[in-house]
Amino acid sequence: MLAAWVEQLGEEIGLDMPEVFQLNLALEEAVVNVMNYAYEGEGLIKLSVDSKGQEVIFKLEDEGREFDPTQVEDPDITLSAEEREIGGLGIFLVQQFMESVDYCRKDGKNILTMIYKKK
């Protein structure tokens, strides 16, 4: 469902397929991170988008446990998959694909703002 939404968005704002792929991967990683860690069971996740010129601004909100993904240490990608610790690669990919990634906690909500710059 998320992938179809990202594809439709990409068409609407004129992104090429590699850009759609990057956005889909980054947003999926961000959403799955919330699904896996924010709640003990069910919870609400809100993803909104705004486009201003060359920037596409995504805001991911949840009311789960407080967690700032921007403070996670980057994984050592020089190590083989077997040598690396599990986790952290998704957040790393989000930060690689987005122009900027910012976090704040406001009114009991985690708010992750991700800005993608169109090519």
Side-chain angles (χ1 to χ4, degrees), residues 2 6 16-17 19 21 25 28 30-31 34 43 52-53 57 62 69 74-76 86 89 91 96 106 111-112 114:
L2 179 62
V6 173
D16 60 25
M17 284 311 293
E19 288 178 296
F21 175 79
L25 183 57
E28 181 179 319
V31 169
V34 172
K52 294 181 181 176
I57 304 156
D62 70 80
D74 288 343
D76 184 350
I86 294 174
L89 195 55
I91 293 167
Q96 295 301 304
K106 185 176 179 183
I111 303 169
L112 189 65
M114 301 165 282

Side-chain angles (χ1 to χ4, degrees), residues 50-115:
D50 189 20
S51 182
K52 294 181 181 176
Q54 291 300 105
E55 292 184 340
V56 185
I57 304 156
F58 296 92
K59 191 178 286 187
L60 181 62
E61 300 178 58
D62 70 80
E63 297 176 354
R65 281 186 216 104
E66 184 172 355
F67 176 67
D68 182 354
T70 66
Q71 297 302 308
V72 173
E73 193 172 311
D74 288 343
D76 184 350
I77 57 173
T78 63
L79 298 174
S80 69
E82 295 80 24
E83 295 174 308
R84 270 195 310 255
E85 289 186 34
I86 294 174
L89 195 55
I91 293 167
F92 176 77
L93 288 174
V94 170
Q95 292 173 326
Q96 295 301 304
F97 291 146
M98 296 292 179
E99 182 74 18
S100 69
V101 179
D102 295 302
Y103 168 85
C104 73
R105 177 89 176 173
K106 185 176 179 183
D107 299 326
K109 294 181 182 177
N110 294 304
I111 303 169
L112 189 65
T113 303
M114 301 165 282
I115 299 176

Side-chain angles (χ1 to χ4, degrees), residues 11-49:
E11 285 180 24
E12 290 174 11
I13 62 175
L15 300 180
D16 60 25
M17 284 311 293
E19 288 178 296
V20 170
F21 175 79
Q22 286 183 342
L23 271 182
N24 188 43
L25 183 57
L27 293 173
E28 181 179 319
E29 290 294 342
V31 169
V32 167
N33 192 53
V34 172
M35 291 169 62
N36 286 338
Y37 302 110
Y39 298 106
E40 289 182 32
E42 294 183 13
L44 182 65
I45 299 171
K46 178 182 174 185
L47 178 61
S48 58
V49 63

